[in-house]
Amino acid sequence: MTTLTDSLPDRPLSTSEISALEAQHDDYGFAPVGFFPDLDVVAAFVVIIDGERGYSLGFDRDDAGWVVVESFDDGEDFAGVTDRLQEWLGDDWEDFEQGTAEPE
């Protein structure tokens, strides 16, 4: 999983970047969880690799980077995984500057 987190920018992703990741990785399934549509920001998502292993990833604003919040076997309680990721993320993104989510 470090390969994916290492390849992510030091900022949340835009919706078009999540779409590009989906197109780039045929064996990965992506599900945005921390999506703030007014900002076009995806700050957390779940990825399932080869339909077997899943990871929830979130953008850590304090450390300005992506972290693996949880790993799980596909087929586990997906709703529980997304609930825990949303809880980890929180909902206070009002002060986020929209321009920083644009691709470089």
Side-chain angles (χ1 to χ4, degrees):
M1 191 78 276
T2 41
T3 303
L4 182 58
T5 56
D6 290 345
S7 68
L8 295 173
D10 292 335
R11 58 173 170 70
L13 299 175
S14 67
T15 52
S16 62
E17 288 172 314
I18 286 287
S19 296
L21 281 173
E22 288 177 313
Q24 189 177 22
H25 298 282
D26 292 337
D27 51 348
Y28 288 21
F30 291 87
V33 175
F35 176 54
F36 301 91
D38 293 344
L39 302 172
D40 188 28
V41 166
V42 177
F45 61 93
V46 173
V47 59
I48 297 176
I49 300 172
D50 293 327
E52 296 177 8
R53 191 81 182 139
Y55 301 89
S56 61
L57 289 90
F59 184 75
D60 185 337
R61 292 174 61 178
D62 293 333
D63 292 333
W66 289 90
V67 297
V68 176
V69 176
E70 181 178 0
S71 61
F72 59 95
D73 291 324
D74 189 25
E76 286 186 25
D77 178 21
F78 189 75
V81 169
T82 58
D83 287 347
R84 288 187 295 277
L85 182 56
Q86 287 177 328
E87 184 178 319
W88 177 89
L89 182 65
D91 59 2
D92 184 22
W93 280 75
E94 291 178 8
D95 61 346
F96 186 76
E97 295 180 28
Q98 184 173 2
T100 60
E102 293 299 317
E104 296 176 345

